[in-house]
Amino acid sequence: MSSSSRDSFSSPPPPLDWKFSQVFGETAPGEDLQDADVVSSVGFENSGDYLAVGDRGGRVVIFQAKHGKHTPNSFLNRNELERLDSTFATHPEYQYKTEFQSHEPEFDCLKSMEIEEKINRLKWCSTSNGSLFILSTNDKTIKLWKVKEKKVKKVSEMEHHSVVCSENDLLSEGSFMSELDKPPTTNGYNLDWAEKIAKDTLSSQEVQTKITHTEEATRANCRKVYAHAHDFNINSISNNSDGETFISSDDLRINLWNLEISGQCFNIIDMKPLNMEDLTEVITVAEFHPIHCNLLAYSSSRGFTRLVDMRQSAICDHSARILKDAEYHGSKSFFTELIASISDMKFTNDGQHILIRDYMNLKLWDMRMDSSPVAVFKIHEHLRPKVGEFTINSLVEECTSMDNYV
């Protein structure tokens, strides 16, 4: 092997080059930003052709890639992806497709509590027939929406059409009474009357066809509503690779649903202690494995990520592998454990690795090695001197939520 080849293998990869691509929802100069317009959740469809955006107002806006459908990334290997990335100089642009009101504000009379319409999570569902389904949830209710194309008739001009009869066709009162005296021959009418009614009906239909046209429109229909299954606020939902089930998690429980059954679910994780004073951590996010339908992972506010196999037991919280970065020798302080709370996580497409996000780090774990992450990426280092300030604010919010539990 030549020295140049050895140098190419030993040299570190070049740094990522981030480029601005597109922006949505720019505000006009002097326009005040409304709280209902603030984005609260985003999610790409598996192929990347569609992007769903949820906001605090309970709306879901769907964008579609302008270039149309392309090969899903999950079917391409690394070399093909790199070749495509270097071949196409322009990145795909998205255009507005449709929007719909997913949730409305509600009031829980039993708990005397207002339920916001804010969209907490969005998840696209994989289907074999090409239909678009999307799950959306606020704090308490999950909804399944079907997004489909429909042909809608549009009236280009409105006309009050009436049958215009000639002077010879007008019947006087006397002739009208004389017509009634004749015996009916067709459906209770005289034969010449029946022919005249059919002719007028056909003429009316022809006029209606001329003043209308059809357009392609996208509509979203609510197919299922999954409600009344969580005592605490829902923080995440995740679809299973089997295409039939999904999970929803709140602070203390994870429920398993069947997409076709909205009135029943199964509790598979329960972290609620007998005495709420013994509560030490809460669930922050849960995610199904992208390939194996029996595996899922969930993380907690203490920085733990648990991997469970639903085949081992009905309640999965006692048979889990724990991913905890015990050997990470970062800066230690009083706030280290407090800022270890995991806010989100994502499996890679091949299911071999999982990327976990806490306040100050991104950690990449190998599913086959639970001793330590294979890589740690520090983010927002400029905020580290202010860790104490925003941690105190987080503690205040956590204490408020604990009061709600009690």
Side-chain angles (χ1 to χ4, degrees), residues 4-5 9 35 70 72 95-96 105-106 111 114 124 142 146 153 181 194 243 249 252 344 366 391:
S4 59
S5 300
F9 283 108
D35 183 68
H70 59 271
Q95 60 186 358
Y96 172 86
E106 302 176 18
K111 297 182 179 180
E114 294 184 356
W124 291 91
I142 308 167
K146 182 178 182 180
K153 290 185 177 181
D181 294 334
S249 68
L252 296 177
D344 205 355
D366 191 325
T391 304

Side-chain angles (χ1 to χ4, degrees), residues 388-402:
E389 181 179 345
F390 70 78
T391 304
I392 292 176
N393 295 332
S394 300
L395 284 174
V396 173
E397 295 179 1
E398 185 175 351
C399 291
T400 304
S401 62
M402 293 299 177

Side-chain angles (χ1 to χ4, degrees), residues 151-170:
K151 291 184 177 180
V152 181
K153 290 185 177 181
K154 300 287 185 178
V155 179
S156 58
E157 53 182 282
M158 184 65 67
E159 294 181 0
H160 296 284
H161 178 73
S162 59
V163 178
V164 180
C165 300
S166 63
E167 191 174 8
N168 297 330
D169 293 333
L170 294 177

Side-chain angles (χ1 to χ4, degrees), residues 14 32 51 60 62 85 99-100 117 153 156 162 190 203 227 262 273 281 289 299 304 323 346 349 368 390 403:
D32 294 334
L51 170 65
V60 176
I62 297 178
D85 186 62
E99 67 178 271
F100 56 91
E117 64 272 28
K153 290 185 177 181
S156 58
S162 59
N190 294 323
S203 177
S262 59
E281 60 180 332
H289 193 276
S299 299
F304 298 161
L323 304 180
K346 181 69 176 178
N349 290 336
R368 298 157 294 188
F390 70 78
D403 292 340

Side-chain angles (χ1 to χ4, degrees), residues 171-179 181:
L171 298 176
S172 63
E173 182 178 357
S175 61
F176 179 74
M177 296 302 296
S178 64
E179 290 288 341
D181 294 334

